[in-house]
Amino acid sequence: AQSVTQLGSHVSVSEGALVLLRCNYSSSVPPYLFWYVQYPNQGLQLLLKYTTGATLVKGINGFEAEFKKSETSFHLTKPSAHMSDAAEYFCAAASGTALIFGKGTTLSVSS
Amino acid sequence: DADVTQTPRNRITKTGKRIMLECSQTKGHDRMYWYRQDPGLGLRLIYYSFDVKDINKGEISDGYSVSRQAQAKFSLSLESAIPNQTALYFCATSPKGARAPYNEQFFGPGTRLTVL
């Protein structure tokens, strides 16, 4: 069965620092992969997605992720964190009829 | 206007009560989903529906039921609420078939349910 693992339930960075949120998936067939962001008291918003083609995917708000088949990873990065990036981030994989979500990583940004 | 709306946004109820959460969408999508979110557990699928006559159980359907009243409406019911159903509930939609083979989903704002 497909599964998604997010390493680190909580990541803290300083404003201007690199953001790295880790996601690994388990599947014999590379799935479609997504990163969603959830701001406080809001629903989930799509940041970016990998379907086919280019393995480096750019999303909204300066985020990007790289699909690495050999490492079964889809880590999310942003070169310079902003206070407004503080939120919960979910990695997800499309598996047949449904999305399988990781447990989420809360990103805190300090000034 | 929001494409996916959920009502109510917040609800407090008592053990044993019946409660219904409603979801409506104006995106014209065929597929609709109900998830619950618990701290540290991410989102888990309760039920999903690919059209009005196609309803399927998800990972954690016990204690829940659903109704797809129309393409645009998908309701989640708790027949007899219990405290461990306290959670944040999300509705989501997605188009079917060739328009989105990779199943990107669009989420409502959530309903925070507390069962005392």
Side-chain angles (χ1 to χ4, degrees):
Chain A
Q2 178 70 269
S3 67
V4 175
T5 302
Q6 292 183 239
L7 299 177
S9 60
H10 198 160
V11 171
S12 297
V13 300
S14 299
E15 194 171 22
L18 171 71
V19 175
L20 171 60
L21 305 182
R22 300 178 187 273
C23 174
N24 289 88
Y25 67 92
S26 68
S27 175
S28 59
V29 177
Y32 300 121
L33 297 162
F34 306 82
W35 275 99
Y36 283 87
V37 59
Q38 183 182 27
Y39 297 106
N41 301 312
Q42 295 186 28
L44 278 71
Q45 177 183 357
L46 183 68
L47 267 180
L48 50 79
K49 62 189 177 191
Y50 170 77
T51 54
T52 58
T55 56
L56 182 62
V57 180
K58 295 185 183 299
I60 62 172
N61 301 337
F63 284 93
E64 62 182 35
E66 186 171 11
F67 170 66
K68 292 187 176 180
K69 182 178 177 181
S70 61
E71 299 178 6
T72 60
S73 69
F74 190 57
H75 301 332
L76 181 71
T77 60
K78 182 174 181 177
S80 177
H82 191 273
M83 297 293 286
S84 61
D85 294 327
E88 188 161 20
Y89 292 79
F90 293 94
C91 182
S95 176
T97 54
L99 281 179
I100 306 299
F101 284 87
K103 294 183 177 181
T105 298
T106 299
L107 176 66
S108 299
V109 183
S110 58
S111 57
Chain B
D1 288 339
D3 295 320
V4 184
T5 57
Q6 294 183 233
T7 56
R9 293 294 311 278
N10 289 281
R11 180 73 182 267
I12 299 173
T13 192
K14 294 182 179 180
T15 297
K17 294 291 187 181
R18 183 179 187 275
I19 185 167
M20 178 181 287
L21 309 183
E22 299 186 337
C23 176
S24 295
Q25 54 115 346
T26 58
K27 298 185 77 67
H29 290 169
D30 296 290
R31 300 178 174 184
M32 299 186 73
Y33 309 80
W34 276 104
Y35 293 89
R36 65 176 278 175
Q37 182 183 16
D38 298 277
L41 295 181
L43 277 75
R44 294 179 291 167
L45 183 65
I46 306 172
Y47 270 95
Y48 61 100
S49 170
F50 280 4
D51 65 41
V52 175
K53 297 182 179 179
D54 181 10
I55 293 178
N56 305 277
K57 293 182 177 181
E59 178 186 356
I60 54 164
S61 59
D62 288 349
Y64 302 94
S65 62
V66 291
S67 173
R68 184 82 182 265
Q69 300 95 324
Q71 186 204 37
K73 296 184 182 295
F74 192 36
S75 299
L76 176 72
S77 293
L78 288 68
E79 296 300 326
S80 180
I82 56 176
N84 76 1
Q85 291 177 313
T86 294
L88 188 55
Y89 290 83
F90 285 103
C91 175
T93 73
S94 69
K96 72 176 180 181
R99 287 187 292 161
Y102 39 83
N103 203 28
E104 176 182 345
Q105 295 182 15
F106 301 83
F107 286 80
T111 294
R112 186 168 298 280
L113 176 65
T114 302
V115 183
L116 301 177

